[in-house]
Amino acid sequence: MAYQPNQPMQGKQFQCPPADPIMTDPERVVRDFYHPQKVQVIHPIQIVNRHHCVPVYEHVYTCSEVDEYCGTHPHPHQGMLRK
């Protein structure tokens, strides 16, 4: 130990008197524990049935019949033949 100027040396080493303890503010230590907790998440689903009209062609044929006169004699509804 180093020599203390105001302390007499009496053959033994100098010892400091006990000091009063210093108390600091407590430090907070937080330990987090996690535990599973079930939570339902509901996903609503709406099904929409959409109906669309799509044109599909259906070919329909009509038939008509007529008589045509092709002879050398005049048809009653035609004019007179020239000579």
Side-chain angles (χ1 to χ4, degrees):
M1 276 244 147
Y3 170 74
Q4 301 289 330
N6 294 330
Q7 298 292 329
M9 296 291 282
Q10 299 176 353
K12 59 181 185 177
Q13 291 189 341
F14 174 77
Q15 286 189 320
C16 294
D20 292 333
I22 299 173
M23 180 67 77
T24 62
D25 291 335
E27 287 189 36
R28 185 172 177 210
V29 176
V30 177
R31 298 187 321 165
D32 292 322
F33 296 90
Y34 297 93
H35 305 278
Q37 178 186 25
K38 287 187 175 183
V39 177
Q40 288 186 344
V41 178
I42 299 172
H43 301 273
I45 297 174
Q46 180 185 44
I47 297 174
V48 177
N49 295 319
R50 295 171 31 163
H51 300 270
H52 301 273
C53 292
V54 178
V56 177
Y57 298 110
E58 177 183 0
H59 297 277
V60 178
Y61 298 94
T62 61
C63 184
S64 62
E65 184 176 331
V66 296
D67 292 316
E68 290 186 352
Y69 180 73
C70 297
T72 55
H73 299 343
H75 190 272
H77 298 288
Q78 291 180 340
M80 296 297 287
L81 291 177
R82 292 187 189 178
K83 292 188 180 181

